[in-house]
Amino acid sequence: MMKKTALAYGFLGLIPFVAFGMLLPIWPLDWQAGLVHMFNSYSAIILAFLSGAVWGMTISGAKEEKPTNGLTVGIVFSLVAVGALLIPFPYSIYLLIASFVVLFALEVGLMFKGIYPFWYTLMRAALTAVVVICHLFLLYWLGDIYNDVVSMGTT
């Protein structure tokens, strides 16, 4: 049951990424600055959430004889998520992409240490791939219209 619930919530969590990242051009141009901000904020929130999940899984699955760095990972990536909200666009998007990829790589390591179940790692692989693709689409779409979107967001 937990596996089905995690899969459902995981894939439902992709809706904002797809709606604001991959489908940005279908939204009215005057909404796009706000949508880019929402995408960036949502991405940072999800990164912080995932780092909290690392913390929780580490505490529940760690054995004294098998130390992990999961607690440090949880803290560092939460701080990176907040930092991504404080740096200018598009650097924040680059930081978020790199963070999702590195966090997933660290989670693979936790799977090999017996902290994460294999099915969860497979799910996270699929989710991370879609999230990264959505970030890349957002950067691609904004390559042509970035100045228009930014100027609308500041007026």
Side-chain angles (χ1 to χ4, degrees):
M1 183 69 169
M2 183 172 72
K3 185 176 175 179
K4 284 183 181 180
T5 303
L7 287 168
Y9 284 145
F11 286 102
L12 286 171
L14 292 176
I15 292 171
F17 285 115
V18 172
F20 302 145
M22 292 178 85
L23 303 177
L24 184 70
I26 70 167
W27 295 94
L29 191 60
D30 58 337
W31 292 12
Q32 289 183 6
L35 294 175
V36 168
H37 177 72
M38 287 188 338
F39 179 95
N40 204 39
S41 298
Y42 182 73
S43 182
I45 289 166
I46 294 300
L47 180 64
F49 168 78
L50 291 173
S51 68
V54 171
W55 176 287
M57 290 292 283
T58 299
I59 286 179
S60 68
K63 319 258 184 316
E64 285 297 322
E65 65 277 2
K66 283 177 114 175
T68 68
N69 294 327
L71 300 178
T72 303
V73 168
I75 295 293
V76 168
F77 281 89
S78 292
L79 294 173
V80 168
V82 171
L85 295 174
L86 301 175
I87 63 175
F89 186 87
Y91 305 110
S92 59
I93 296 295
Y94 297 134
L95 178 61
L96 289 165
I97 290 170
S99 298
F100 278 110
V101 170
V102 170
L103 181 60
F104 174 71
L106 292 170
E107 288 176 322
V108 169
L110 291 173
M111 179 199 65
F112 284 116
K113 290 182 178 183
I115 304 295
Y116 275 17
F118 182 70
W119 68 265
Y120 181 80
T121 305
L122 287 178
M123 178 189 75
R124 286 282 293 116
L127 295 175
T128 299
V130 172
V131 166
V132 168
I133 289 167
C134 290
H135 282 76
L136 294 173
F137 263 91
L138 181 73
L139 289 170
Y140 173 76
W141 297 134
L142 293 179
D144 292 333
I145 59 172
Y146 177 68
N147 290 330
D148 292 339
V149 171
V150 170
S151 66
M152 284 183 196
T154 59
T155 57

